[in-house]
Amino acid sequence: MNSKNHTTTFTFLALSIFLVLTSCLDTDKKTTTVTVDSTSEKEVQKTVYASDVIPFFDHWKLILGDGSNAGFATNFENKDFFYTTNDGESNWVVYKAPNAGDTHGTSNNTRTELAQAKKWYPKTANDKLTATLKVMNVSATGDARVAASHAVVVGQIHSADGHENEPLKIFYKKFPGHTKGSVFWHYEINTAGDDNSGRWDYSTAVWGNDFSVVGPEENTYPEEPKEGIALGEEFSYEIEVKDGIMNLKFTSEGHEAKTFTKNLIESEYTTTAAIPEQTQKLFVPIGQDGVERKNGYTGEGLFFKLGTYNQTNGKSPEVNKNWCSGAETHGGDIQKQYEDGNYAEVWFKTAEISVSDQAVSNEGYFAKND
């Protein structure tokens, strides 16, 4: 009797100990699994900001494609206009702007673009901007006879004073159906007098064509450039302004490097007779036939811009056959424009800025245009 009871008690105790141990092991196992999954989930959700990729955003204020000024863009993103991506090899900063929407200042065009927080004066300047980028999309629609159609500006020098004109705009332009597009740069005159309506641009080709090459009909395109740049193909620009002279350098693997020089403080366009033939054909017929101040941009504060300044808009070509593209805008609906390719998108991999000691605050420009 006692032996049987002892055996039963022992069996019961052994079974209890086994169940307790098993329960503890299961609990530990479940706890470990939850911890691992939670850590993994946090790692996947970590945001890579533009300022992690290119750490120079304390020099700029960011204008978004809805016309707003986002200010200094450190640890900032906006999924509609400004964010980062990875192409499998490198992180890139994405700047995206639709054909139509709210715009910044007096421009007809949308932009997601950095504007330098300081301005500097060309005569005493020692300022520099470099960037490596690739254009991923230009508008799918637009009037081929309009020079600005299917184009985007990826870098600028802008004046903060006077007429607020632009001594430099760097363009990329590609017609639908073409594999290669063109890279070219513009100089806009700093118009003499108070009336700026006669201002015009002079365009210089880098790879491919210049601004003036257009289609003969609305949906008929010129010949594809032989030495052009494809969408998704990297290229770099370097802009340096020193002692009144602007020096430009463009490089891209597989293409000839190109350099250019332009005097910003002494004009070559001070008389009607000096207006170039390209301008005579492109701008003079629509009344843009001004002349430039003798001393160019001397005395005006200039500043760099970088990003996506979409040149294709929905304005009627009847208003201006060079700048009004008549493209699809879906009434300004941004998402619909993105869905059918009516936007500009540019990715930047690297960029650097060097600012001279003589540079001063550019707050006056933002106060006028925000």
Side-chain angles (χ1 to χ4, degrees):
M1 212 40 198
N2 289 341
S3 176
K4 186 175 180 179
N5 287 339
H6 285 308
T7 303
T8 301
T9 300
F10 178 79
T11 303
F12 175 78
L13 288 171
L15 181 60
S16 297
I17 291 169
F18 175 77
L19 290 173
V20 169
L21 289 171
T22 304
S23 175
C24 289
L25 288 171
D26 286 346
T27 301
D28 289 343
K29 186 176 181 182
K30 288 175 184 174
T31 302
T32 302
T33 302
V34 170
T35 302
V36 170
D37 288 348
S38 176
T39 302
S40 176
E41 186 177 344
K42 287 180 181 177
E43 288 176 354
V44 169
Q45 292 177 349
K46 184 181 185 299
T47 300
V48 177
Y49 291 108
S51 50
D52 297 324
V53 179
I54 306 175
F56 74 156
F57 285 89
D58 55 342
H59 289 285
W60 311 88
K61 291 191 176 182
L62 173 66
I63 308 303
L64 295 174
D66 60 3
S68 64
N69 185 341
F72 295 99
T74 300
N75 297 336
F76 174 84
E77 70 170 10
N78 180 301
K79 288 298 186 183
D80 283 334
F81 308 117
F82 179 79
Y83 51 93
T84 64
T85 192
N86 189 290
D87 64 358
E89 296 182 359
S90 304
N91 287 323
W92 298 75
V93 181
V94 178
Y95 298 74
K96 193 172 181 180
N99 285 355
D102 291 332
T103 61
H104 186 252
T106 59
S107 177
N108 289 319
N109 302 322
T110 66
R111 72 183 84 212
T112 297
E113 188 179 42
L114 299 175
Q116 192 180 356
K118 287 189 173 184
K119 62 181 181 179
W120 34 269
Y121 295 86
K123 196 168 185 178
T124 57
N126 186 10
D127 295 78
K128 186 175 182 180
L129 175 65
T130 63
T132 297
L133 64 139
K134 54 185 178 182
V135 179
M136 304 304 290
N137 196 78
V138 290
S139 177
T141 61
D143 192 319
R145 298 168 296 183
V146 175
S149 290
H150 315 294
V152 59
V153 169
V154 300
Q156 295 189 64
I157 296 176
H158 203 289
S159 176
D161 304 316
H163 299 308
E164 295 187 3
N165 288 344
E166 299 150 327
L168 176 68
K169 295 190 288 283
I170 298 171
F171 283 77
Y172 176 87
K173 175 179 176 179
K174 188 189 78 68
F175 288 100
H178 288 185
T179 299
K180 296 178 180 179
S182 298
V183 175
F184 48 88
W185 65 276
H186 280 202
Y187 176 80
E188 181 178 54
I189 63 167
N190 197 16
T191 319
D194 296 328
D195 183 2
N196 196 37
S197 63
R199 73 187 186 276
W200 45 263
D201 289 21
Y202 181 73
S203 181
T204 301
V206 179
W207 300 296
N209 301 318
D210 62 39
F211 185 71
S212 66
V213 177
V214 296
E217 298 177 7
E218 181 179 355
N219 294 302
T220 303
Y221 309 114
E223 184 178 347
E224 182 172 337
K226 292 182 175 61
E227 299 298 326
I229 299 284
L231 289 175
E233 184 175 0
E234 287 185 36
F235 65 95
S236 300
Y237 62 73
E238 179 182 296
I239 310 164
E240 182 182 47
V241 180
K242 187 173 183 180
D243 301 329
I245 306 300
M246 177 174 70
N247 297 290
L248 306 176
K249 183 177 181 179
F250 297 88
T251 56
S252 179
E253 186 175 350
H255 299 272
E256 181 184 354
K258 299 289 184 70
T259 59
F260 306 90
T261 299
K262 180 73 179 75
N263 192 322
L264 300 183
I265 59 175
E266 186 175 335
S267 176
E268 58 190 297
Y269 305 123
T270 58
T271 66
T272 301
I275 296 176
E277 182 181 359
Q278 178 194 106
T279 303
Q280 295 281 359
K281 293 180 178 179
L282 200 63
F283 287 95
V284 171
I286 59 173
Q288 293 181 248
D289 57 356
V291 295
E292 188 169 32
R293 297 168 55 199
K294 183 178 180 180
N295 58 355
Y297 285 88
T298 302
E300 293 194 7
L302 306 181
F303 62 99
F304 292 121
K305 287 189 169 187
L306 175 152
T308 295
Y309 184 21
N310 192 354
Q311 297 300 291
T312 307
N313 57 48
K315 302 285 184 179
S316 171
E318 294 180 2
V319 176
N320 187 307
K321 72 174 187 178
N322 291 327
W323 299 110
C324 297
S325 306
E328 178 60 69
T329 65
H330 297 294
D333 187 313
I334 291 173
Q335 296 308 321
K336 285 185 177 179
Q337 292 177 76
Y338 286 174
E339 286 169 9
D340 61 9
N342 285 294
Y343 64 94
E345 181 175 329
V346 185
W347 296 7
F348 285 80
K349 183 167 68 174
T350 63
E352 292 183 3
I353 186 172
S354 176
V355 184
S356 58
D357 293 337
Q358 289 76 23
V360 297
S361 172
N362 198 21
E363 280 304 312
Y365 170 80
F366 296 109
K368 284 186 288 183
N369 289 280
D370 286 349

